[in-house]
Amino acid sequence: QVHVAESGGGSVQAGGSLRLSCAADSGYSYDNWCIAWFRQAPGQKREGVAVIDNDGRTVYADSVKGRFTISKGNAKNTLYLQINSLKPEDTAMYYCATEGYGGYCSLAAPHMYNSWGQGTQVAVSS
């Protein structure tokens, strides 16, 4: 299990942008794993936002398509989520997750990921 840490959250007005980061332990490489972003609003289930596989292919939730972009950094232990055109309904704690059991690579089942960060809060005001 690898330690990952999210950063980059904050409070913004609707229409604004943020870039979230997910850094794994130094020396770790995401190359062999899918990495996903999830979010969870108070009282809501954890929801998949975006996932990228080891070939760079990406999948997004319908609610964020065209506004969110997941990408890997030049450093092999870094992942980003660029979020644009923020809406109040995007307000949530955002988590990155990796090391899916059996190479799991989807947004449907958060419990299939073994390594999670502590999250970074995004708050969007109207």
Side-chain angles (χ1 to χ4, degrees):
Q1 190 174 17
V2 64
H3 175 259
V4 296
E6 304 89 341
S7 61
S11 297
V12 298
Q13 290 191 325
S17 298
L18 288 170
R19 189 172 83 154
L20 308 185
S21 299
C22 174
D25 292 332
S26 177
Y28 184 82
S29 173
Y30 284 134
D31 281 353
N32 297 321
W33 297 99
C34 288
I35 318 107
W37 284 97
F38 290 83
R39 66 185 181 186
Q40 189 167 19
Q44 302 295 317
K45 291 182 179 180
R46 193 162 292 192
E47 169 192 29
V49 173
V51 61
I52 185 168
D53 71 10
N54 53 353
D55 290 324
R57 290 170 296 198
T58 58
V59 174
Y60 295 92
D62 288 344
S63 59
V64 307
K65 281 180 182 176
R67 300 189 298 121
F68 288 21
T69 303
I70 187 172
S71 62
K72 295 182 180 180
N74 290 331
K76 293 191 174 186
N77 66 334
T78 306
L79 176 78
Y80 300 106
L81 184 70
Q82 178 68 40
I83 47 181
N84 299 326
S85 302
L86 278 159
K87 304 176 181 180
E89 52 263 44
D90 295 319
T91 295
M93 187 73 80
Y94 283 71
Y95 302 89
C96 64
T98 190
E99 296 191 336
Y101 294 107
Y104 185 78
C105 190
S106 175
L107 297 175
H111 66 276
M112 291 297 290
Y113 289 93
N114 188 42
S115 295
W116 289 83
Q118 294 299 307
T120 186
Q121 180 69 45
V122 172
V124 185
S125 58
S126 57

